[in-house]
Amino acid sequence: MQAILQGFAKLDFTSADGNHVEGTNLYISFPDKNVTGQKCERIFAPKDIVFPKANIGDTLNFSFNHKGKLESISAIK
């Protein structure tokens, strides 16, 4: 899936059930046939996902596994 990076927020905290959460929330936008303009979503990228060198406004390619979990991110040149 290709999307434009709109923003990001680093996360590093312990949840109420005691699990440590570390990663980045990515805020993205992309065209959707059911939306006038761009659809916007938040994707969580755990710390083990390699994030490419990218700036706000860059187009990125997001790959997901069969369960919908983020597997990789790459920059679109």
Side-chain angles (χ1 to χ4, degrees):
M1 171 181 106
Q2 290 185 5
I4 299 169
L5 180 64
Q6 300 296 336
F8 60 90
K10 299 268 186 195
L11 301 174
D12 188 358
F13 65 93
T14 301
S15 66
D17 60 3
N19 291 323
H20 184 95
V21 176
E22 189 174 354
T24 305
N25 275 335
L26 304 171
Y27 300 93
I28 62 170
S29 65
F30 52 92
D32 183 288
K33 67 179 181 177
N34 298 316
V35 175
T36 300
Q38 297 277 306
K39 184 171 183 173
C40 301
E41 288 192 3
R42 175 186 52 127
I43 295 177
F44 176 72
K47 70 176 185 174
D48 60 329
I49 298 288
V50 177
F51 192 77
K53 199 165 209 172
N55 296 310
I56 303 302
D58 287 353
T59 300
L60 302 175
N61 188 51
F62 296 86
S63 296
F64 300 89
N65 67 15
H66 68 282
K67 294 184 178 181
K69 188 172 180 180
L70 183 65
E71 287 190 323
S72 66
I73 306 169
S74 58
I76 306 260
K77 302 278 179 189

